[in-house]
Amino acid sequence: MVVMTPEATEAEIAAVKRRLEATGVHVLVLPGELTTAIGAIGDPEGVRELGLEGMEGVDRVVPISRPYKLASSELAHPEPTTFSVAGHRVGGGTTFCLIAGPCTVETREQTLAVARTVKAAGASMLRGGAYKPRTSPFAFKGLGAAALEILAEARAETGLPVVTELLDTQHAEGVAAHADVIQIGARNMQNYALLEVAGKLGKPVLLKRGLSSSLDELLMAADYVLKEGNPRVMVCERGIRTFETATRFTLDLSAIPWLKLHSHLPVIVDPSHASGDRRLVEPLARAAAAVGADGIIVEVHENPEAALCDGPQALYARDFAGFAERVTAHARLEGRTLA
Amino acid sequence: MVVMTPEATEAEIAAVKRRLEATGVHVLVLPGELTTAIGAIGDPEGVRELGLEGMEGVDRVVPISRPYKLASSELAHPEPTTFSVAGHRVGGGTTFCLIAGPCTVETREQTLAVARTVKAAGASMLRGGAYKPRTSPFAFKGLGAAALEILAEARAETGLPVVTELLDTQHAEGVAAHADVIQIGARNMQNYALLEVAGKLGKPVLLKRGLSSSLDELLMAADYVLKEGNPRVMVCERGIRTFETATRFTLDLSAIPWLKLHSHLPVIVDPSHASGDRRLVEPLARAAAAVGADGIIVEVHENPEAALCDGPQALYARDFAGFAERVTAHARLEGRTLA
Amino acid sequence: MVVMTPEATEAEIAAVKRRLEATGVHVLVLPGELTTAIGAIGDPEGVRELGLEGMEGVDRVVPISRPYKLASSELAHPEPTTFSVAGHRVGGGTTFCLIAGPCTVETREQTLAVARTVKAAGASMLRGGAYKPRTSPFAFKGLGAAALEILAEARAETGLPVVTELLDTQHAEGVAAHADVIQIGARNMQNYALLEVAGKLGKPVLLKRGLSSSLDELLMAADYVLKEGNPRVMVCERGIRTFETATRFTLDLSAIPWLKLHSHLPVIVDPSHASGDRRLVEPLARAAAAVGADGIIVEVHENPEAALCDGPQALYARDFAGFAERVTAHARLEGRTLA
Amino acid sequence: MVVMTPEATEAEIAAVKRRLEATGVHVLVLPGELTTAIGAIGDPEGVRELGLEGMEGVDRVVPISRPYKLASSELAHPEPTTFSVAGHRVGGGTTFCLIAGPCTVETREQTLAVARTVKAAGASMLRGGAYKPRTSPFAFKGLGAAALEILAEARAETGLPVVTELLDTQHAEGVAAHADVIQIGARNMQNYALLEVAGKLGKPVLLKRGLSSSLDELLMAADYVLKEGNPRVMVCERGIRTFETATRFTLDLSAIPWLKLHSHLPVIVDPSHASGDRRLVEPLARAAAAVGADGIIVEVHENPEAALCDGPQALYARDFAGFAERVTAHARLEGRTLA
């Protein structure tokens, strides 16, 4: 829908109409009391590319259709996407996926101990960082390939599939060899080169929302992965940046029912990174279960006070079984069982 | 804590020290490797008023203490505040307060019908707008005094206490005569004249968070009411303004556990205004119950499509009993029963 | 423009059409490839009030027309509004209005000294706070009526018209008796009762943008004043709240050319409150002059380090003449002379 | 500065003190009236990594020192950084760098024509996109290597150095072979792998601020480049994401004087991407010159209505000479001449 200024001339209206018709769309001119609007039916992507906002006499272009395609439940895929990760069912409304583990792999012992703890509490998958994105170049960046080996050992022992972040296209092969789910971090949500590589690795992808990305942009980023022929994508709400600094980010739980209305993809919530504060993680995890998320991803540590990274948000391993039980109770009320 | 610039001179440091000492606080100079910091112990309000940021050689002033007082669980009141509204207990962690009713009082019949519906479903209080703040001066502004009469009749019939908004100090007497709880709307959270009047009316106050107010500011606004000697204040999270436009506002559910850590006041959640979309209201209401809120306030209408105000976010009256049951189930998991 | 969901039925589309036609607007149904859109021509306010978003089958309502009326250059008033304040011309593109003075009136001597300084440097008007809105109820709130007397004396001596804030409808008479321009503060931009009172006082109004108000909302707030028959309204950009905390607020200078495109009202910029830091005030004041603002409002103090309020953002009185000259040079490049 | 909760025990305070001392910093315990604060002097990075926020009894950790190092004028480099790009001096306060060209290289003819136009108007450098990051995977992504050849030809003919974006580490060699300045786009500001590659290419880097990145984060991202031994970094403000949707982004001009206070790096402003609307580009470019920026980067097209990308924000080539003259006039007032 192209809205003209009140002073737009007949010639300017005709020019816009001609330009639209040249792309093959059907055009309708809607004269209003004060301004004329021009509707275009068909090929919204083509119309968007025209850049009509800059034509003489045009005030605004108001998109009517949504800008994402493959991730849309309306355009592409009315039924919820479901898939299995090593036997754990993701998506579809009957399971709740509990992904837990250390922020970063620090040692073999630490990782195995946490893996056993979360396995015993019923976790569905093990998370753990091998390569860590750090805001400051002088901070600890993870053990890299050695961490991937440790995660593989933890999987072998516990049977838990492993979720780990792909940070750089150069690590793609190594990460794909050891991970069951490829995580794309929030800071890379619009790193399109990385999204395309991730889409080609043949593994499920956990795509985190950028910290100031709109939900439309999150689903367009998912389109980058989906168009590589990989349908196994989960999106993850992990807090957005707002004016409020009392919490590290603002967890946008409204996003979950909105995504359920407009997309078929499973939706995971990360309350650990959103809040940055252990004391808020359980309440927010319960809320995620109640709001209808398909799962959560949380950080756990035997001794968070000695953690090399993000200790303040890590749950104590000794508290994890109780945490899992209390959160799962809310998921059960919504008809879900642990994946 | 006053942080000096790296180039600050001894004389500038001494000047800051002298200025602080003149207010009677205890001062500690902390020389760092690159910058000197100066700590002041005692009377944070007095130090804040000094405006030290503008002194020569000062880079920043970093407040260590929180800026609110009476609303603080740390400074004023370690135990949760609880009180009763016509026999319905608010606060304290064992009850869940279900406040429901029409956005605005339109007719006697509509209001009574909704009041009966919400009463039957177990609601704790009846909400209804008599005076409505409207962004556009050309929109419907409520029935005013006539609406207060209708609400009084609904209370008489159902026994439900009434929550209604005070918009203007001129209406204070009329609103106080008919309301059991005085609501202060988000747009007036920093209308200090109104807060002081509300604090003097001798009724519980439901104080909504401003749409871009920080949690610190919300508690300072509560201080305005509390300092009038009125301890019966509930604060209400109703969505904040962020870059995300998919939902009308972003409901900040992290605020609830944060407020529980730092304040003794009961916390209510308004999922109707936050989302502006009926389809999101129930998931967010469940999340509010799971995250630990003391209650919710929601809008209900017999025929939302004919509502004079905010119809799209109103729950259908015919669905309300089921809604109440599903939300309350999550509150029960947290050890709460309907107030 | 009403956008239906892809699954909307013929009956749902017909129901929306009927509902729109009942309000008397002209309705056009636009079948798209995936979704149907329904356009309504005429009476946008009426359509907005219908709350169509909640009807079955409706996905979204996309407003085509702007929501403000009287403040619009498109709907109401194509020529820029200009008026005179005690001989100083505001608006129209040929003058630059330099409004300066203390944040708050502290003493007679302080106020007269600053008034003389800003008069000597060519200021157009004197600002000064008599009643101050304070976030904390324990902070200094201004001298009130005594301050109004001092401002009147400063005007009598210097001839400068006085700008001061109206904070509460109870002070309206006193403020109107002494002020030449009534300021409405950012926190009260949506205090509609106050806007209507301000509109009736027969004085020009300086309306500050709320710290999270959109430009549409600012112009709707101006509509509240304008509809009282008072055409002499200036709007004022004073910084919005964003995620960035390095500066107190984010001064939105893009708003100035946007407002010039869409409104006929004069636009003033307040760099003092936006930045909260004297070191940023001059660069931002120069930018305001270069971007096309009709003026600025800044704070000046003889001894900012002893100011009772907002000292860190006050310019030193001794530097003001140079400041005024450097800022005015940029305004002159844009064809403006000091008002 | 570690702030304890009011209930923190002596043992908890001692534990924090011990943990800090183990890192070698000097520790000072500051008992306050209500809470104890613990100051650490030395190695802020080490302290930040400890994650003390999660220790028992700790309420908050308040950083006193800034988190960036090499980009800091306070820690690393008190004098402004200046360098030359093919004879055009960047930084240092006496030049204004006018970077202009098409959003994207579409054809040889279009690029050469624009290059001649901007050269004739006095531009310092030619911008042009070879690889374009696009939010939707279905949009035009640039000509790639062929575009680099065209840009090289434009440079050969006009003598203008070329600024183009590096989007993917795979393109590094090709981009470095043809570009005089490597641009890192806003969406990649925290793509650390890319920053490190860019730092090693031996070319000046133009680093755009992420659309929700704080200024602290921008300077930390600059640290990633600087630590590779490349001192020639310009940072670029290009608009941040806020609640305001009237303009595409909110250009944060307060950032320029703030960056001048805290960093030694040259600062460029991009008014084209910030506003997305040609009608706002010139006023914002003038404001950038007046606020003290070291230059601007703008988009120019012979026929914006036929541009493949971002036409609405492109200046008409036929208007560019006048634009350049009007903007430069404001830079001259600040003592700068075209670089």
Side-chain angles (χ1 to χ4, degrees):
Chain A
M1 182 70 42
V2 182
V3 185
M4 307 299 291
T5 64
E7 308 83 33
T9 63
E10 285 304 313
E12 288 164 351
I13 292 167
V16 171
K17 185 160 181 286
R18 260 197 319 276
R19 185 111 193 269
L20 280 167
E21 285 171 343
T23 70
V25 299
H26 182 59
V27 181
L28 265 170
V29 176
L30 305 162
E33 278 183 54
L34 292 147
T35 59
T36 293
I38 304 174
I41 298 168
D43 190 16
E45 190 63 37
V47 170
R48 207 167 282 128
E49 291 276 299
L50 288 178
L52 298 167
E53 295 92 338
M55 287 187 75
E56 298 290 335
V58 172
D59 184 45
R60 286 167 298 148
V61 177
V62 181
I64 300 298
S65 62
R66 306 229 177 245
Y68 45 88
K69 294 180 177 174
L70 305 176
S72 166
S73 55
E74 293 151 359
L75 306 188
H77 200 302
E79 291 308 303
T81 283
T82 68
F83 50 87
S84 161
V85 178
H88 302 268
R89 186 181 169 85
V90 179
T94 59
T95 63
F96 188 75
C97 202
L98 179 57
I99 310 174
C103 173
T104 190
V105 172
E106 298 169 5
T107 66
R108 181 174 170 279
E109 289 66 35
Q110 163 244 16
T111 304
L112 289 175
V114 169
R116 286 173 204 130
T117 298
V118 304
K119 170 71 178 178
S124 321
M125 304 184 202
L126 176 67
R127 61 148 293 148
Y131 300 95
K132 303 295 300 175
R134 301 307 299 267
T135 312
S136 164
F138 307 105
F140 173 67
K141 289 177 195 166
L143 297 183
L148 295 173
E149 299 290 341
I150 293 170
L151 289 167
E153 185 177 346
R155 178 180 44 191
E157 183 184 319
T158 61
L160 289 174
V162 162
V163 182
T164 198
E165 180 168 350
L166 175 64
L167 192 60
D168 187 338
T169 53
Q170 295 174 54
H171 310 143
E173 207 175 326
V175 169
H178 291 89
D180 298 278
V181 175
I182 308 290
Q183 178 179 314
I184 299 292
R187 283 168 187 74
N188 281 315
M189 193 201 87
Q190 295 188 315
N191 178 343
Y192 304 122
L194 191 66
L195 292 175
E196 292 182 341
V197 166
K200 288 174 181 148
L201 294 175
K203 301 271 176 138
V205 171
L206 177 73
L207 175 64
K208 289 194 154 186
R209 180 182 184 183
L211 44 89
S212 70
S213 298
S214 69
L215 295 171
D216 278 1
E217 289 169 341
L218 172 60
L219 294 179
M220 284 191 274
D223 271 4
Y224 265 93
V225 180
L226 293 165
K227 84 170 169 37
E228 301 302 326
N230 182 351
R232 294 184 294 166
V233 175
M234 305 173 245
V235 292
C236 178
E237 162 59 30
R238 46 77 71 206
I240 57 174
R241 185 162 272 181
T242 70
F243 67 83
E244 179 57 77
T245 58
T247 46
R248 193 158 60 166
F249 296 101
T250 298
L251 187 65
D252 180 10
L253 287 173
S254 313
I256 285 76
W258 189 94
L259 286 165
K260 291 291 174 192
L261 282 172
H262 298 289
S263 176
H264 52 89
L265 298 174
V267 183
I268 306 294
V269 171
D270 176 348
S272 300
H273 284 90
S275 65
D277 181 337
R278 176 186 310 123
R279 299 171 293 181
L280 306 188
V281 172
E282 184 183 320
L284 292 173
R286 296 191 314 250
V291 89
D294 293 295
I296 56 171
I297 179 165
V298 291
E299 301 192 350
V300 183
H301 201 282
E302 294 275 310
N303 181 10
E305 300 179 4
L308 291 180
C309 173
D310 283 342
Q313 74 200 34
L315 299 168
Y316 284 94
R318 62 176 184 262
D319 297 337
F320 187 71
F323 165 88
E325 175 45 35
R326 291 186 296 271
V327 172
T328 309
H330 286 279
R332 274 194 299 264
L333 274 186
E334 298 304 312
R336 295 170 184 270
T337 54
L338 274 183
Chain B
M1 181 70 44
V2 183
V3 185
M4 307 300 290
T5 64
E7 308 84 32
T9 63
E10 285 303 313
E12 288 164 352
I13 292 168
V16 171
K17 185 161 181 285
R18 260 197 319 277
R19 185 112 193 268
L20 281 167
E21 284 171 344
T23 70
V25 299
H26 182 59
V27 180
L28 266 170
V29 176
L30 305 162
E33 277 184 53
L34 292 147
T35 58
T36 293
I38 304 174
I41 298 169
D43 190 17
E45 190 62 39
V47 170
R48 207 167 283 128
E49 290 277 297
L50 288 177
L52 297 167
E53 294 92 339
M55 286 186 76
E56 298 291 334
V58 172
D59 184 45
R60 287 167 296 149
V61 176
V62 182
I64 300 297
S65 61
R66 305 230 177 244
Y68 45 87
K69 294 181 177 173
L70 306 176
S72 165
S73 55
E74 293 151 358
L75 304 189
H77 199 302
E79 293 307 305
T81 283
T82 68
F83 51 86
S84 161
V85 178
H88 301 269
R89 186 179 169 86
V90 179
T94 58
T95 62
F96 189 74
C97 202
L98 179 57
I99 310 173
C103 173
T104 191
V105 172
E106 297 170 4
T107 66
R108 182 175 170 278
E109 290 64 35
Q110 163 245 16
T111 305
L112 289 175
V114 169
R116 285 173 204 130
T117 298
V118 304
K119 169 72 177 178
S124 321
M125 305 183 202
L126 177 67
R127 62 147 293 149
Y131 301 95
K132 303 295 300 175
R134 301 306 298 267
T135 312
S136 164
F138 307 105
F140 172 67
K141 290 177 195 166
L143 296 183
L148 294 173
E149 299 289 342
I150 294 170
L151 288 168
E153 185 177 348
R155 177 179 47 191
E157 182 184 321
T158 61
L160 289 175
V162 162
V163 182
T164 198
E165 179 168 351
L166 174 64
L167 193 59
D168 187 338
T169 53
Q170 295 174 53
H171 309 144
E173 206 175 327
V175 169
H178 290 90
D180 297 279
V181 175
I182 309 289
Q183 178 178 315
I184 300 291
R187 282 168 189 75
N188 281 315
M189 193 201 87
Q190 294 187 315
N191 178 344
Y192 303 122
L194 192 67
L195 292 174
E196 291 182 341
V197 166
K200 288 175 180 146
L201 294 176
K203 300 271 176 136
V205 171
L206 177 73
L207 175 63
K208 290 195 154 186
R209 181 182 185 184
L211 45 89
S212 72
S213 298
S214 69
L215 295 172
D216 277 2
E217 289 168 340
L218 172 60
L219 294 180
M220 284 191 275
D223 271 6
Y224 265 93
V225 181
L226 294 166
K227 83 170 169 38
E228 301 301 327
N230 183 351
R232 295 184 293 167
V233 175
M234 304 173 246
V235 292
C236 178
E237 163 59 31
R238 45 77 72 207
I240 58 174
R241 185 162 273 182
T242 70
F243 67 83
E244 179 58 77
T245 56
T247 47
R248 191 158 59 167
F249 295 101
T250 299
L251 188 65
D252 180 10
L253 287 173
S254 312
I256 286 76
W258 189 94
L259 286 165
K260 291 291 173 192
L261 281 173
H262 297 290
S263 175
H264 53 89
L265 299 174
V267 183
I268 306 295
V269 171
D270 177 348
S272 301
H273 284 89
S275 64
D277 182 338
R278 175 187 310 123
R279 298 170 295 178
L280 306 188
V281 171
E282 184 185 320
L284 292 173
R286 296 191 314 249
V291 89
D294 293 296
I296 56 171
I297 179 165
V298 292
E299 300 191 349
V300 184
H301 201 283
E302 294 275 313
N303 182 10
E305 301 180 4
L308 291 180
C309 172
D310 282 343
Q313 74 200 34
L315 298 168
Y316 284 94
R318 63 176 183 264
D319 296 339
F320 187 72
F323 166 88
E325 175 45 33
R326 291 186 295 272
V327 172
T328 308
H330 287 279
R332 273 194 301 263
L333 273 185
E334 298 304 312
R336 295 170 183 269
T337 53
L338 274 184
Chain C
M1 181 71 41
V2 182
V3 185
M4 307 299 290
T5 64
E7 308 84 34
T9 64
E10 286 303 314
E12 288 164 352
I13 291 168
V16 171
K17 185 161 181 285
R18 260 198 317 278
R19 185 110 193 271
L20 280 167
E21 285 171 343
T23 69
V25 298
H26 182 59
V27 180
L28 266 171
V29 176
L30 304 163
E33 276 183 55
L34 291 148
T35 59
T36 293
I38 304 174
I41 297 170
D43 191 16
E45 191 63 38
V47 170
R48 206 168 282 127
E49 292 276 299
L50 288 177
L52 298 167
E53 294 92 338
M55 287 187 75
E56 298 291 335
V58 172
D59 184 45
R60 285 168 297 147
V61 176
V62 181
I64 300 296
S65 62
R66 306 227 176 247
Y68 45 87
K69 293 181 178 173
L70 305 176
S72 166
S73 53
E74 293 151 358
L75 305 189
H77 200 300
E79 293 306 306
T81 283
T82 67
F83 50 86
S84 161
V85 178
H88 302 268
R89 187 179 169 88
V90 179
T94 58
T95 63
F96 188 74
C97 202
L98 178 57
I99 310 175
C103 174
T104 189
V105 172
E106 298 170 3
T107 66
R108 183 174 170 280
E109 289 65 35
Q110 165 245 14
T111 305
L112 289 176
V114 168
R116 285 173 204 132
T117 298
V118 304
K119 169 71 177 180
S124 322
M125 303 184 203
L126 176 68
R127 62 147 293 149
Y131 301 94
K132 302 296 301 175
R134 301 307 298 267
T135 312
S136 164
F138 307 106
F140 172 67
K141 289 178 195 165
L143 298 183
L148 294 174
E149 300 289 341
I150 293 169
L151 289 168
E153 185 177 346
R155 179 180 44 190
E157 182 183 322
T158 60
L160 289 175
V162 162
V163 183
T164 199
E165 179 167 350
L166 175 64
L167 193 60
D168 187 339
T169 52
Q170 296 173 52
H171 309 144
E173 205 175 327
V175 169
H178 290 88
D180 297 279
V181 175
I182 309 291
Q183 177 178 314
I184 300 293
R187 284 168 187 73
N188 281 315
M189 193 202 86
Q190 294 187 315
N191 179 343
Y192 303 122
L194 191 67
L195 293 175
E196 291 182 342
V197 166
K200 288 175 182 145
L201 294 176
K203 300 271 176 139
V205 171
L206 176 73
L207 175 63
K208 289 194 154 186
R209 181 181 183 183
L211 42 89
S212 71
S213 298
S214 68
L215 294 172
D216 278 0
E217 289 169 341
L218 172 61
L219 294 180
M220 284 191 275
D223 272 4
Y224 265 94
V225 180
L226 293 166
K227 82 168 169 42
E228 300 301 328
N230 182 352
R232 294 184 295 165
V233 175
M234 303 171 249
V235 292
C236 178
E237 161 60 30
R238 46 75 72 206
I240 57 174
R241 186 162 272 183
T242 70
F243 66 83
E244 179 57 77
T245 57
T247 47
R248 192 158 60 167
F249 295 100
T250 299
L251 187 66
D252 180 9
L253 287 173
S254 312
I256 285 77
W258 189 94
L259 286 165
K260 291 290 172 192
L261 282 172
H262 297 290
S263 175
H264 51 89
L265 298 173
V267 183
I268 305 295
V269 171
D270 177 348
S272 301
H273 285 89
S275 64
D277 181 337
R278 177 187 309 124
R279 299 170 294 179
L280 306 188
V281 171
E282 184 184 320
L284 292 172
R286 295 191 314 250
V291 89
D294 293 296
I296 56 172
I297 179 165
V298 292
E299 300 191 350
V300 183
H301 202 281
E302 293 274 312
N303 181 11
E305 301 180 3
L308 292 179
C309 172
D310 282 344
Q313 74 201 32
L315 298 168
Y316 284 94
R318 62 175 183 264
D319 297 338
F320 186 72
F323 166 87
E325 175 45 34
R326 290 186 296 273
V327 172
T328 308
H330 286 279
R332 272 194 300 264
L333 273 186
E334 297 304 313
R336 295 170 184 269
T337 54
L338 275 183
Chain D
M1 181 72 42
V2 183
V3 185
M4 307 299 291
T5 64
E7 308 83 34
T9 64
E10 286 303 313
E12 288 165 352
I13 291 167
V16 171
K17 184 162 182 285
R18 261 197 318 277
R19 185 112 192 270
L20 280 168
E21 285 171 342
T23 70
V25 299
H26 182 60
V27 181
L28 266 171
V29 175
L30 304 163
E33 277 184 53
L34 292 148
T35 59
T36 293
I38 303 174
I41 298 169
D43 191 17
E45 190 62 38
V47 171
R48 206 166 284 127
E49 291 277 297
L50 288 176
L52 297 167
E53 295 92 340
M55 287 186 75
E56 298 291 335
V58 173
D59 184 47
R60 285 167 298 149
V61 177
V62 182
I64 300 297
S65 62
R66 307 232 176 242
Y68 45 87
K69 293 181 178 173
L70 305 176
S72 165
S73 54
E74 293 151 359
L75 305 189
H77 200 301
E79 292 307 305
T81 283
T82 68
F83 51 87
S84 161
V85 178
H88 301 269
R89 187 180 168 87
V90 180
T94 59
T95 63
F96 189 74
C97 203
L98 178 58
I99 310 173
C103 174
T104 191
V105 172
E106 297 170 6
T107 66
R108 182 175 169 280
E109 289 64 36
Q110 163 245 14
T111 305
L112 289 175
V114 168
R116 284 172 206 133
T117 298
V118 305
K119 169 72 179 179
S124 321
M125 304 184 203
L126 176 67
R127 63 147 292 148
Y131 300 96
K132 302 295 302 176
R134 301 306 300 267
T135 312
S136 164
F138 308 105
F140 172 67
K141 289 177 193 167
L143 297 182
L148 294 174
E149 300 288 343
I150 294 170
L151 288 167
E153 185 177 348
R155 178 180 42 191
E157 182 184 322
T158 61
L160 289 175
V162 162
V163 182
T164 198
E165 180 167 352
L166 174 65
L167 193 60
D168 187 338
T169 52
Q170 295 173 54
H171 309 144
E173 207 175 327
V175 169
H178 291 89
D180 297 280
V181 175
I182 309 289
Q183 178 178 315
I184 299 293
R187 283 168 188 74
N188 281 315
M189 193 201 86
Q190 294 188 315
N191 178 344
Y192 303 122
L194 191 66
L195 292 175
E196 292 182 341
V197 166
K200 289 175 179 144
L201 294 176
K203 300 269 176 138
V205 171
L206 177 73
L207 175 64
K208 289 196 154 184
R209 181 182 184 182
L211 43 88
S212 72
S213 297
S214 68
L215 294 172
D216 278 1
E217 289 168 341
L218 172 60
L219 294 179
M220 284 192 275
D223 271 4
Y224 265 93
V225 180
L226 293 166
K227 82 169 169 41
E228 301 302 326
N230 183 351
R232 293 185 293 167
V233 175
M234 302 172 249
V235 293
C236 178
E237 162 60 29
R238 46 75 73 207
I240 57 174
R241 185 162 273 182
T242 70
F243 67 82
E244 178 58 74
T245 57
T247 47
R248 192 157 60 165
F249 295 100
T250 298
L251 187 65
D252 180 10
L253 287 174
S254 311
I256 286 76
W258 189 94
L259 287 165
K260 290 293 172 189
L261 283 172
H262 297 290
S263 175
H264 52 88
L265 298 173
V267 183
I268 306 295
V269 170
D270 177 347
S272 301
H273 285 89
S275 63
D277 181 337
R278 177 186 309 125
R279 299 171 293 179
L280 306 188
V281 172
E282 184 184 320
L284 292 173
R286 295 191 314 247
V291 89
D294 293 296
I296 56 172
I297 179 166
V298 292
E299 301 191 349
V300 184
H301 201 282
E302 294 274 312
N303 182 10
E305 301 179 3
L308 291 179
C309 173
D310 283 343
Q313 74 201 33
L315 298 168
Y316 284 94
R318 62 176 184 262
D319 297 338
F320 187 72
F323 166 88
E325 175 45 36
R326 291 186 295 273
V327 172
T328 309
H330 286 279
R332 273 196 299 264
L333 274 186
E334 298 304 310
R336 295 169 183 270
T337 53
L338 274 184

